[in-house]
């Protein structure tokens, strides 16, 4: 029977160190060191090879000298205890899932970046550990000094590491804390305490308006245009911004003002003439103040000129006169445009542009046409929508002129004959026709007589005599040696006579 009881005694022996019952080593001080090879029971909880190694006869073979141990009978009673421990060993296995539920660590370096009259700007750094789940964002909470109620400022978590708490009361003291939130949980809040001091106690930056360059002069817009101006300023704590017009508050039904801690925006959706004027901007911090004036002018096209008259018509010119328009469109009149239209075509043509006077003269009109005239006024916005038109037309008529010839003084043109070019001696060849020339003048025109050797040459076909424009010529056709001699040209009129001579030499033909 002892041999049968020994195996169950060996089975609990290795399990006893697993659970570590203190009484077993105390009852058997000698075998305890032999059975303490803890490596074997320590390896058993890892994978389930422990039940497979139960038939370990090695320690049972070493224990035969102790079959008479009375505690062996006590171990079978303890057998139910080790069995559940072996079955409960897998229970801790789901514990490794706990890292998935690890919450992120707290945000770092929470600090106050800026404080204004009713807001506080906070900054911090992201936590060092986020966990396996991604970070959903941060939640900012505040608690008034003296209270224990923490209130979340933001409804939904946000990922930015900068946040401005708005709508705080001046002079309030608050406690601030920030939490990091993820799907795994919420990190411990990081806390900072900041007191909002009364802003009227100290001015750290004097108020100053920085008026843009284009707003330092008159700001001109047309009727119906939008007026949108942003004027930056500086000052700390946040200054009070006040707009007025003529020491009166602005009409908020037409003018929208939007202020931030760095600038003010002046906006009118559709400008009207009534919006023109000087607006005063004041930036105040307690007793300190800075002012600026903004001059706005809303303009529109002017009205038409008045009392246009056709003053005079002469030749191909007309004279016009008129008076300035009743409404200049809230802008200075720069000039007038004058146009003309003839009755035949009915089309208008510009005769003068930017006429700076209220009168003009139109020239170069076509004789026989009938003209009408109109005048537009012009300002910085443009030409007037309507024009002034002359009530009557101008007909350019052809003027009748009588030619009066200039009376020339009578001069005595009578003159006796006078040769201006004499005859010249000539030599010719037999059988070749030749000419004799001379020039004469005189009034009345003298009579020309040709003579040969003092004998008048009459109607002889051998000689042809001509006179044209005072040039006298005598043609001798096919002369022979008998035609040579002294030839004379004689000019005779009522006042006298004159003559010139020449010698003609006719040579025989060389055979």
């Amino acid at each position: 029977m002892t041999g049968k009881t020994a195996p169950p005694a060996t089975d609990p022996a290795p399990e006893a160190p697993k659970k570590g019952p203190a009484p077993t080593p105390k009852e058997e001080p000698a075998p305890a060191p032999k059975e303490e090879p803890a490596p074997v029971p320590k390896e058993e909880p890892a994978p389930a090879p422990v039940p497979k190694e139960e038939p370990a006869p090695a320690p049972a073979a070493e224990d035969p000298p102790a079959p008479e141990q009375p505690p062996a009978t006590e171990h079978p009673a303890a057998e139910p205890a080790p069995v559940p421990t072996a079955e409960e060993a897998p229970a801790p296995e789901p514990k490794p899932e706990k890292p998935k539920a690890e919450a992120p660590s707290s945000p770092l370096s929470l600090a106050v970046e800026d404080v204004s009259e009713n807001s506080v700007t906070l900054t911090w750094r992201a936590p060092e550990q986020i966990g396996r789940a991604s970070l959903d964002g941060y939640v900012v909470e505040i608690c008034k000094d003296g209270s224990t109620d923490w209130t979340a400022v933001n409804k939904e978590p946000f990922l930015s590491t900068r946040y401005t708490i708005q709508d705080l009361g001046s002079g309030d003291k608050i406690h601030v804390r920030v939490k990091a939130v993820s799907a795994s949980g919420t990190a411990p809040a990081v806390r900072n305490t900041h007191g909002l001091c009364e802003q009227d106690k100290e001015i750290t930056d004097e108020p100053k308006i920085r008026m843009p360059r284009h707003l330092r002069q008159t700001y001109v817009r047309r009727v119906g245009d939008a007026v949108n101006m942003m004027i930056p300023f500086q000052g700390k704590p946040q200054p009070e911004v006040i707009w007025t017009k003529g020491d009166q508050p602005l009409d908020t039904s037409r003018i929208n003002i939007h202020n931030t801690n760095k600038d003010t925006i002046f906006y009118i959706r559709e400008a009207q003439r009534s919006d023109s004027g000087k607006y005063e901007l004041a930036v105040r911090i307690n007793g300190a103040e800075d002012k600026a004036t903004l001059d706005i002018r809303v303009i529109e096209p002017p009205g038409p000129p008045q009392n246009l008259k056709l003053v005079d018509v002469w030749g191909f010119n007309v004279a016009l006169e008129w008076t300035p328009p009743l409404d200049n469109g809230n802008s200075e009149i720069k000039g007038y445009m004058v146009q003309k239209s003839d009755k035949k075509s009915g089309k208008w043509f510009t005769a003068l542009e930017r006429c700076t006077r209220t009168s003009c003269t139109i020239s170069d009109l076509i004789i026989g046409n009938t003209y009408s005239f109109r005048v537009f006024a012009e300002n910085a916005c443009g030409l007037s929508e309507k024009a002034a038109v002359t009530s009557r037309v101008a007909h350019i008529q052809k003027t009748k002129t009588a030619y009066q010839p200039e009376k020339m003084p009578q001069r005595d043109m009578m003159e006796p004959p006078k040769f201006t070019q004499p005859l010249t001696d000539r030599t010719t060849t037999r059988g070749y026709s030749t000419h004799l020339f001379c020039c004469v003048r005189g009034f009345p025109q003298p009579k020309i007589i040709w003579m040969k050797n003092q004998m008048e040459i009459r109607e002889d076909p051998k000689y042809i005599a001509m006179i044209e424009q005072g040039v006298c010529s005598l043609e001798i056709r096919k002369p022979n040696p008998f035609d040579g001699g002294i030839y004379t040209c004689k000019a005779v009129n009522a006042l006298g006579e004159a003559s010139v001579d020449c010698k003609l030499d006719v040579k025989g033909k060389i055979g």
Side-chain angles (χ1 to χ4, degrees):
M1 295 299 290
T2 56
K4 293 179 181 180
T5 56
T10 57
D11 294 337
E15 293 178 1
K18 175 184 176 182
K19 198 169 185 180
T24 303
K26 290 180 181 180
E27 292 176 358
E28 293 179 5
K34 292 181 181 180
E35 294 180 333
E36 264 181 27
V40 175
K42 287 182 180 178
E43 293 177 357
E44 290 176 4
V50 175
K52 292 181 181 180
E53 294 179 357
E54 285 180 0
E62 295 177 356
D63 293 339
E68 299 178 358
Q69 294 178 354
T73 58
E74 297 177 0
H75 290 291
E79 283 180 6
V83 172
T85 55
E87 294 175 356
E88 291 176 359
E93 290 181 359
K95 291 183 180 179
E97 296 179 358
K98 289 184 179 179
K100 297 182 179 179
E102 288 182 359
S105 60
S106 301
L108 304 175
S109 305
L110 177 60
V112 177
E113 183 183 75
D114 190 21
V115 179
S116 65
E117 185 178 2
N118 54 4
S119 66
V120 173
T121 301
L122 306 174
T123 58
W124 61 89
R125 292 192 295 110
E128 292 182 351
Q129 298 180 0
I130 298 177
R132 295 188 179 182
S134 61
L135 192 65
D136 292 342
Y138 303 95
V139 175
V140 180
E141 298 180 345
I142 63 172
C143 175
K144 291 188 177 181
D145 192 23
S147 175
T148 58
D149 297 332
W150 288 92
T151 305
V153 179
N154 54 310
K155 296 181 180 180
E156 298 292 338
F158 60 91
L159 292 175
S160 175
T161 57
R162 186 177 184 272
Y163 188 79
T164 300
I165 305 174
Q166 303 284 355
D167 302 329
L168 298 175
S170 178
D172 289 347
K173 289 186 177 182
I174 61 172
H175 302 279
V176 182
R177 68 184 185 185
V178 179
K179 295 180 180 180
V181 181
S182 71
S184 302
T186 303
V190 58
R191 179 175 170 182
N192 186 27
T193 302
H194 185 81
L196 288 177
C197 301
E198 295 286 347
Q199 296 303 316
D200 56 356
K201 292 182 180 179
E202 182 180 359
I203 300 176
T204 59
D205 192 1
E206 293 290 334
K208 179 67 175 179
I209 299 174
R210 298 185 176 276
M211 183 67 71
R213 185 183 300 274
H214 69 281
L215 297 180
R216 296 176 188 175
Q217 300 176 351
T218 302
Y219 186 75
V220 180
R221 306 301 285 176
R222 296 190 178 189
V223 171
D225 289 351
V227 178
N228 190 6
M229 299 174 294
M230 183 181 70
I231 303 175
F233 58 81
Q234 66 183 28
K236 202 169 184 181
Q238 183 174 353
E240 178 185 8
V241 180
I242 301 173
W243 282 93
T244 57
K245 181 182 180 182
D247 298 330
Q248 297 296 325
L250 301 184
D251 182 6
T252 55
S253 63
R254 290 197 41 76
I255 303 174
N256 298 317
I257 301 295
H258 177 69
N259 299 323
T260 66
N261 58 351
K262 294 183 179 179
D263 53 50
T264 178
I265 298 176
F266 182 101
Y267 179 73
I268 301 176
R269 185 177 297 276
E270 293 182 359
Q272 297 180 1
R273 288 272 294 271
S274 58
D275 296 325
S276 301
K278 293 187 178 181
Y279 293 80
E280 294 81 22
L281 171 62
V283 178
R284 299 175 184 173
I285 304 179
N286 301 332
E289 182 181 60
D290 189 22
K291 290 185 177 181
T293 301
L294 181 64
D295 188 7
I296 298 178
R297 182 184 301 170
V298 182
I299 64 174
E300 61 182 346
Q306 301 294 309
N307 305 321
L308 177 60
K309 296 179 181 179
L310 184 62
V311 179
D312 193 9
V313 180
W314 74 99
F316 45 82
N317 308 296
V318 296
L320 303 173
E321 286 185 356
W322 62 88
T323 57
L326 299 177
D327 181 12
N328 63 357
N330 202 25
S331 178
E332 181 183 358
I333 299 297
K334 293 185 175 181
Y336 302 90
M337 177 184 286
V338 182
Q339 293 184 338
K340 62 182 179 180
S341 173
D342 63 278
K343 189 176 180 180
K344 292 181 180 179
S345 66
K347 296 182 180 180
W348 291 96
F349 299 92
T350 300
L352 290 176
E353 280 187 314
R354 197 66 68 85
C355 177
T356 56
R357 298 177 298 172
T358 57
S359 63
C360 69
T361 300
I362 307 298
S363 302
D364 299 331
L365 301 177
I366 299 175
I367 295 176
N369 284 4
T370 301
Y371 290 90
S372 296
F373 300 90
R374 67 181 183 183
V375 180
F376 291 89
E378 183 180 4
N379 66 0
C381 196
L383 295 174
S384 58
E385 296 180 357
K386 296 181 180 180
V389 184
T390 53
S391 58
R392 65 189 185 94
V393 296
H395 182 68
I396 309 302
Q397 297 180 351
K398 185 176 181 180
T399 58
K400 295 179 180 180
T401 57
Y403 176 70
Q404 297 291 338
E406 184 180 359
K407 294 182 179 181
M408 300 294 294
Q410 294 292 335
R411 192 176 66 171
D412 187 7
M413 301 296 292
M414 304 298 285
E415 183 181 7
K418 181 180 179 181
F419 284 91
T420 58
Q421 181 67 33
L423 292 173
T424 57
D425 296 340
R426 292 184 64 83
T427 299
T428 184
T429 303
R430 180 180 178 178
Y432 289 92
S433 297
T434 187
H435 291 79
L436 302 177
F437 295 96
C438 64
C439 295
V440 66
R441 74 180 183 184
F443 189 84
Q445 184 175 351
K447 179 182 178 180
I448 303 301
I449 301 173
W450 285 94
M451 293 183 296
K452 175 188 175 185
N453 297 327
Q454 300 300 318
M455 296 293 293
E456 182 178 354
I457 299 174
R458 297 186 179 274
E459 297 180 358
D460 188 342
K462 192 177 185 67
Y463 300 98
I464 299 175
M466 297 182 65
I467 180 172
E468 184 177 358
Q469 298 294 329
V471 177
C472 303
S473 63
L474 177 65
E475 180 182 359
I476 304 172
R477 304 177 64 184
K478 296 181 179 182
N480 54 45
F482 296 100
D483 294 326
I486 303 300
Y487 285 83
T488 303
C489 180
K490 187 176 181 181
V492 180
N493 68 2
L495 299 180
E497 62 179 33
S499 62
V500 288
D501 300 328
C502 71
K503 180 180 179 180
L504 176 63
D505 187 10
V506 180
K507 295 183 177 181
K509 188 175 182 180
I510 299 175

